[in-house]
């Protein structure tokens, strides 16, 4: 079944429920699905768990969602940077929970969800607070920590181009976490800067197969910010 393609951001995020776990693509602002996040703010879903590499930049995109009070927990690798003042304020005030995950583990835990892997052992975080309470095992003389997949109810992803079947290609570093997030969510919603007919993307260039994509927000007629760099 082909994904729904729309030019209406509200239609793209319709039905996202309170309490959902949402995987949000982006490395800082590179590849952040800003238009989808803005639509989610307007849509009103609350008590959300957000999984992303960062905890927002400035006061736009993910930071705006945090500032609107819609997020109860953030799972990320880099919650603090020079312009993460919205998250900082919420966290220091005890208004938001944080699960800190090393960046490689974050990517692999989502990849494991998409690949159907029940859990995996990883050496990252051994001997640190991030390993407290987790099962460990010595394999070939090295200690590993047991990590579990991260699954999302929804993934919000920015790509460069989609065809009518939902196949995606990305632009340079804007690719970042989008491909693994698309496989790890129950429903993937993607904003794109270009749409083409089926066959308009060389099959050898497809990064995310259309089987993972449920809805496409076509921004070809607008000046979008997501997917930059």
């Amino acid at each position: 079944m082909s994904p729904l393609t729309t030019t209406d951001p509200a239609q793209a995020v319709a039905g996202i429920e309170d309490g959902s776990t949402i995987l949000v693509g982006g490395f800082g602002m590179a590849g952040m699905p800003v238009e989808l996040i803005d639509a989610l703010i307007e849509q009103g879903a609350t008590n959300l768990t957000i999984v992303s590499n960062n905890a927002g930049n400035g006061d736009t995109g993910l930071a705006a969602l945090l500032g609107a009070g819609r997020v109860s927990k953030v799972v990320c690798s880099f919650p603090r940077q020079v312009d993460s003042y919205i998250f900082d304020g919420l966290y220091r005030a005890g208004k938001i929970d944080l699960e800190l995950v090393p960046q490689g583990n974050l990517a692999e835990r989502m990849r494991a969800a998409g690949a159907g892997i029940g859990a995996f052992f990883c050496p990252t975080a051994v001997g640190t607070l991030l390993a407290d309470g987790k099962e460990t095992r010595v394999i070939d003389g090295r200690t590993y920590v047991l990590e579990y997949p991260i699954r999302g109810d929804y993934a919000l992803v920015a790509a460069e181009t989609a065809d009518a079947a939902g196949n995606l290609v990305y632009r340079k570093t804007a690719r970042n976490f989008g491909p693994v997030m698309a496989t790890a969510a129950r429903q993937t919603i993607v904003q794109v800067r270009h749409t083409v007919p089926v066959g308009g993307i060389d099959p050898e260039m497809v990064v995310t197969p259309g089987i993972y994509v449920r809805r496409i927000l076509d921004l070809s007629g607008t000046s979008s910010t997501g997917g930059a760099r």
Side-chain angles (χ1 to χ4, degrees), residues 51-67:
V51 181
S52 190
N53 186 60
N54 303 79
N57 301 82
D59 56 6
T60 61
L62 183 53
L65 184 66
L66 298 176

Side-chain angles (χ1 to χ4, degrees), residues 74-211:
V74 171
V75 181
C76 75
S77 297
F78 292 93
R80 299 193 69 228
Q81 56 267 348
V82 66
D83 58 351
S84 61
Y85 48 84
I86 290 180
F87 173 81
D88 276 7
L90 292 170
Y91 185 73
R92 292 176 187 276
K95 295 181 179 180
I96 197 166
D97 293 328
L98 170 67
E99 179 182 343
L100 190 64
V101 182
Q103 188 176 77
N105 286 15
L106 184 71
E108 183 63 10
R109 288 176 66 185
M110 290 186 287
R111 192 199 69 83
I117 296 172
F120 61 93
F121 283 98
C122 179
T124 306
V126 170
T128 74
L129 292 174
L130 298 183
D132 283 357
K134 296 181 178 181
E135 180 182 342
T136 61
R137 183 176 299 183
V138 177
I139 303 172
D140 291 334
R142 188 175 187 183
T143 302
Y144 292 79
V145 176
L146 184 65
E147 298 285 358
Y148 289 91
I150 295 175
R151 298 180 176 87
D153 297 303
Y154 299 90
L156 303 184
V157 173
E160 180 73 3
T161 303
D163 68 15
N167 298 304
L168 305 178
V169 293
Y170 301 80
R171 183 176 187 273
K172 300 181 180 180
T173 60
R175 175 171 170 171
N176 51 71
F177 293 89
V180 292
M181 288 182 170
T183 69
R186 180 168 53 86
Q187 294 189 46
T188 294
I189 306 169
V190 58
Q191 66 175 61
V192 298
R193 299 206 277 189
H194 308 284
T195 56
V196 297
V198 172
I201 298 175
D202 181 344
E204 297 296 329
M205 300 299 292
V206 170
V207 177
T208 297
I211 192 172

